[in-house]
Amino acid sequence: MKSFLIILLLSVTATTKSTSQANMENKIFIKTKLGKIAVFTKTASTENTPIIFLHGVYLDHLLWKNQVSVINDRTVIAIDMPLHGESVNGIPIRWTLADCADMLVEILDEMKISKAIAVGHSWGSMTILRAASKYPDRFESVGFCNMPFEAASKKEKRNFKLQHSALIFRNFYMKQTSKVLFGKETLKHNPGITKLLTTPMSKLTNREIKKVDQFVIIDAEDATTLLSSLKVPAIALKGKDDYVPTPTTLKTTIVPGAHLSPIESPTDVSEFCKRVINLK
């Protein structure tokens, strides 16, 4: 019996490892103007347009693991944004969302991808919007999840700087951040879900959190005009209790939860990704 249990355990472990590797089987580092960016791929032997995923602040490419797992008809790419996950080398002192957009196209160039489908969450969406506006011929369709496209108000900017004073209490800061980004019902029924945010967030130093907030949120220019003039087929998604506004110029899906829709409503977001793929 003991031998049987050991064999069974080894079998389960091997299967789990194999499944995990199948989701994102290859990792490379691509040198861009924003440093060496970690790029993870699941390759498919088809000529269908590849799809690339970009995550939001404090997270990493694993945000998209549920969505990646159900896409098998095309090559899937997910990246770690600057300072996040494994993209920690060669990051410049200062950068902008426009630089992030150029970084995305640099990655497509290096991978010899002439046209891609792109789906982003929050910061990732902000990046894709700017890239698709500047290089529309490089994108077949795009999907924006939980995108804060309006510029932060003076009050919001002041609040961020006040909140940063609480970073000396890291655990408290991360708990408060979770309360803001997750929906109340999500936290009520699944309090352990916060680990999916706090685990990647804990890898960022206090200084890096401040820098990311500054460059991505506080310094972000209003992108309403970019949305209204976008020439690439696009749709949007946001949580019912998300703090971001609804883009009136795009067909927008409302799902349960707040700002972390790929985690809170993974099935809904997977269906959203399928619709992005089929946009014409």
Side-chain angles (χ1 to χ4, degrees), residues 174-238:
M174 289 193 293
K175 286 180 181 179
Q176 293 304 115
T177 301
S178 295
K179 289 181 180 180
V180 172
L181 299 184
F182 283 108
K184 291 182 179 179
E185 288 299 309
T186 300
L187 295 175
K188 178 181 177 181
H189 296 292
N190 188 6
I193 201 171
T194 59
K195 291 182 179 179
L196 296 178
L197 170 65
T198 58
T199 297
M201 187 177 181
S202 65
K203 298 177 182 179
L204 293 164
T205 66
N206 290 354
R207 184 177 181 182
E208 288 170 342
I209 288 175
K210 290 179 182 179
K211 286 180 66 172
V212 170
D213 287 347
Q214 184 72 45
F215 302 155
V216 176
I217 303 171
I218 298 173
D219 291 346
E221 296 179 353
D222 192 277
T224 305
T225 302
L226 295 183
L227 269 177
S228 61
S229 61
L230 188 64
K231 297 179 181 179
V232 177
I235 54 177
L237 175 146
K238 59 169 283 187

Side-chain angles (χ1 to χ4, degrees), residues 235-250:
I235 54 177
L237 175 146
K238 59 169 283 187
K240 177 178 175 292
D241 300 315
D242 198 353
Y243 69 88
V244 304
T246 302
T248 57
T249 57
L250 296 181

Side-chain angles (χ1 to χ4, degrees), residues 5 14 24 32-33 35 42 49 55 69 92 101 110 117 126 138 145 160 183 185 217 243 262:
L5 290 175
M24 279 287 153
T32 74
K33 67 190 300 181
K42 183 176 80 170
T49 306
H55 64 79
S69 69
E110 182 65 24
I117 297 167
M126 299 163 81
R138 302 301 301 272
C145 294
F160 261 104
E185 288 299 309
I217 303 171
Y243 69 88

